[in-house]
Amino acid sequence: MEGLEASIARATQLERTSRIDAEFFQRRFLRSAALIEKWQRESVAQLTHVSDGNHFSISEDFVDEGVPYYRGQDVTNRFFVETAAPIHITREAYDRKYMRRSYLKRGDVLLSIIGTIGELSLVASERPATCSCKLAILRPRKVTPEFLAVFLRSEHGQNQIERLTRGAVQKGLILEDMDQLWVPHLSPEFEKRISQTVLNARTTQEASGTQLQRAEDTLLAALGLADWTPPEPLNYSARASDAFAAGRLDAQYFMPAKEQVRQSLAALPGRVLGDRVDSIRDIFVPDRAPPDMLVRNYDVTDALVPLLDAEKEPQAAGEIGSIKKTFKDGDLAISRLRAYLREIAVVRTGDDIPSVGSSEFIVLRPKRGRRDISPETLMVFLRATPAQTILKWCQDGSQHPRFSEGDLLSIPVPDAVAGVSDQITTIVQEGFAARYKARQLLEAAKRGVEIAIEDGEDAAMAFLDKAEGAS
């Protein structure tokens, strides 16, 4: 029978697991188990202190700025959890006695155990933070955090996690099963090598952020706004005619900070953003595309990193359930949700595979004949404090605050931005290169662990030497 996969298990193998389902004995699971059994090993329960996050309802304590509160989606595709954009809770909520069990420490490994099962991130800072009960907190005692995180992200770690997943309607990984999640004992030298590779990736990633800050500083200096901070008066007034013209009666829309920065930008020679770019409203309707057509599908959270690149794994159009915006290489994708998240990214995917994204994106493309400002420079401009001040006070709505396309396109963009565009583009591209290098180092660490388990540490060390030399 072509395509049939069959495995044979002994009755003794069923005693501890109480599992007789065929899924538990898939060949790839058995292969990983057999490879790990060749090594001395200990379970995650033996190597770490295992707990989970907060179980209490604290939705009334969510705020725009405060203590990070990580959820399952915040560890997806992020090796370092600090690169996510979590919701926040008040410091008062964080300080409550029942929250202390879910306090995070540097070196904790956060493992998603409900929903996005198997996704995980490493806590790399000492900043106060906490998490929800959908994340397991693994606090290493006898293994380095970096090695543990890399192993659990590897093929053999993920196979074990998927194998231990239970449930039908809502699948989950229970904490009691952490005593069956095995970690091989590799040599201290190899474990140290993996940890150092991860730390090098972290340093390189931080360098990427430094470059973006340098680009913003360069732009603000060119605008003469390097030392500008938005005023926050306790009271202010607006004309009724302005309110009727805007179609808005809420006080925040008329914050003096917004008008002050708008006037400062408009006082300089230039044009509004809408005169420099076209807003692209082309849509992708999955039902009208061949089901097996491959596309790269970006969510707004992907734009937390200011680059949408070809590293995004393509998926079949038939797997996409809603209408999307379409992108092309060189576009600017801007999430209109929650301006403070600054989900604004340059699209640099190449056009070999179609790129689409959330309908919450506003897609901008430089006008023909007006390419004196690069997409990278516009990204920096829109992420910088002046433009963000305007967008912050243009938002409407409480649960899901959004700004409009009209408010975005009316932002003045001085010609001085074009004067430093080449310089900023170079700085930003250097930052993108650093981010790519960090990602390659993390991928090399993961593959190195897999090679060590399969072929031995000498082969893995040789691989790491070559990979790190090329990065």
Side-chain angles (χ1 to χ4, degrees):
M1 296 176 66
E2 186 177 353
L4 176 67
E5 179 180 307
S7 301
I8 299 175
R10 298 176 184 274
T12 54
Q13 292 178 268
L14 308 180
E15 293 176 1
R16 168 63 180 87
T17 63
S18 300
R19 298 279 294 268
I20 60 173
D21 51 301
E23 288 81 6
F24 189 77
F25 297 97
Q26 291 184 52
R27 285 185 181 178
R28 58 191 175 97
F29 298 163
L30 297 178
R31 175 177 177 270
S32 288
L35 286 167
I36 292 172
E37 285 172 2
K38 294 179 180 179
W39 297 82
Q40 289 186 345
R41 63 196 189 279
E42 288 186 83
S43 70
V44 166
Q46 293 170 311
L47 294 171
T48 73
H49 175 270
V50 179
S51 63
D52 57 0
N54 170 58
H55 285 259
F56 295 89
S57 175
I58 56 172
S59 58
E60 69 277 6
D61 298 303
F62 293 154
V63 290
D64 288 348
E65 297 181 9
V67 178
Y69 185 87
Y70 295 108
R71 301 161 295 168
Q73 59 262 47
D74 296 316
V75 301
T76 302
N77 297 324
R78 292 180 178 85
F79 193 93
F80 304 105
V81 75
E82 289 80 7
T83 61
I87 57 176
H88 294 79
I89 60 173
T90 64
R91 184 70 196 213
E92 290 75 18
Y94 175 78
D95 287 336
R96 290 170 190 158
K97 186 176 181 179
Y98 63 75
M99 291 293 293
R100 294 174 186 171
R101 66 183 298 277
S102 62
Y103 282 5
L104 302 181
K105 294 183 178 180
R106 182 177 182 179
D108 287 347
V109 176
L110 304 181
L111 174 64
S112 180
I113 54 177
I114 298 176
T116 55
I117 301 170
E119 296 284 356
L120 62 101
S121 288
L122 180 67
V123 179
S125 76
E126 299 285 357
R127 181 184 178 186
T130 184
C131 68
S132 80
C133 60
K134 293 187 177 182
L135 294 175
I137 305 170
L138 311 180
R139 186 159 294 159
R141 296 181 295 187
K142 300 164 62 178
V143 64
T144 64
E146 297 82 13
F147 176 80
L148 177 64
V150 170
F151 170 74
L152 293 178
R153 273 180 164 253
S154 74
E155 175 187 354
H156 306 303
Q158 288 291 300
N159 279 344
Q160 289 188 87
I161 290 169
E162 187 177 345
R163 190 184 193 195
L164 293 172
T165 299
R166 299 173 182 265
V169 177
Q170 184 177 47
K171 293 187 176 182
L173 184 67
I174 62 176
L175 299 187
E176 288 78 4
D177 280 346
M178 294 297 175
D179 67 349
Q180 298 179 79
L181 183 51
W182 299 102
V183 181
H185 270 258
L186 302 179
S187 71
E189 293 77 17
F190 185 77
E191 188 175 319
K192 182 178 179 181
R193 175 69 180 274
I194 293 298
S195 296
Q196 189 58 56
T197 301
V198 171
L199 293 174
N200 290 343
R202 177 65 175 167
T203 300
T204 304
Q205 188 176 73
E206 289 175 340
S208 173
T210 299
Q211 288 297 92
L212 289 175
Q213 184 59 55
R214 181 183 159 208
E216 182 174 331
D217 292 344
T218 300
L219 183 141
L220 293 178
L223 295 175
L225 296 173
D227 299 321
W228 183 84
T229 55
E232 296 183 1
L234 295 177
N235 55 73
Y236 52 92
S237 61
R239 295 180 179 180
S241 58
D242 293 335
F244 287 122
R248 297 275 294 266
L249 293 174
D250 50 306
Q252 71 172 22
Y253 191 78
F254 301 96
M255 278 290 290
K258 183 182 79 170
E259 187 58 28
Q260 184 184 105
V261 71
R262 188 187 293 276
Q263 289 179 5
S264 296
L265 294 173
L268 299 171
R271 303 180 182 88
V272 297
L273 181 61
D275 288 339
R276 296 181 181 275
V277 299
D278 290 319
S279 180
I280 306 302
R281 302 183 181 90
D282 298 342
I283 61 172
F284 175 80
V285 182
D287 293 345
R288 298 177 185 173
D292 58 350
M293 174 184 174
L294 292 179
V295 297
R296 291 193 173 92
N297 181 21
Y298 299 89
D299 191 19
V300 290
T301 56
D302 290 317
L304 287 167
V305 175
L307 173 67
L308 302 182
D309 61 15
E311 291 298 308
K312 183 79 171 183
E313 285 294 325
Q315 66 180 120
E319 298 173 1
I320 299 175
S322 60
I323 293 174
K324 303 292 181 180
K325 290 285 189 71
T326 62
F327 307 145
K328 287 189 177 180
D329 191 88
D331 286 348
L332 201 59
I334 303 160
S335 170
R336 62 193 181 121
L337 277 170
R338 296 185 176 88
Y340 66 89
L341 293 177
R342 302 187 184 199
E343 292 169 331
I344 302 171
V346 179
V347 179
R348 291 297 183 194
T349 59
D351 293 327
D352 55 326
I353 295 176
S355 296
V356 302
S358 168
S359 58
E360 295 290 357
F361 278 124
I362 297 172
V363 182
L364 305 182
R365 185 174 299 162
K367 289 181 179 289
R368 291 183 180 180
R370 293 195 183 278
R371 298 181 181 271
D372 53 337
I373 302 179
S374 71
E376 287 80 2
T377 304
L378 284 177
M379 176 271 293
V380 173
F381 174 78
L382 292 174
R383 278 178 166 246
T385 301
Q388 284 296 306
T389 299
I390 294 173
L391 295 176
K392 176 181 179 179
W393 301 117
C394 285
Q395 293 180 125
D396 188 22
S398 55
Q399 294 295 323
H400 301 287
R402 296 173 171 86
F403 55 82
S404 72
E405 179 187 277
D407 283 323
L408 173 67
L409 296 178
S410 68
I411 294 176
V413 183
D415 292 338
V417 175
V420 291
S421 183
D422 289 346
Q423 183 181 356
I424 289 174
T425 302
T426 299
I427 296 171
V428 170
Q429 289 176 348
E430 289 173 354
F432 289 166
R435 176 181 174 274
Y436 178 77
K437 179 180 178 180
R439 191 165 54 198
Q440 293 300 102
L441 286 172
L442 292 172
E443 182 62 30
K446 180 171 74 72
R447 184 60 190 136
V449 167
E450 293 168 351
I451 292 173
I453 294 170
E454 297 164 11
D455 302 318
E457 290 185 10
D458 288 343
M461 287 289 200
F463 168 81
L464 288 171
D465 288 341
K466 183 177 180 180
E468 292 178 0
S471 64

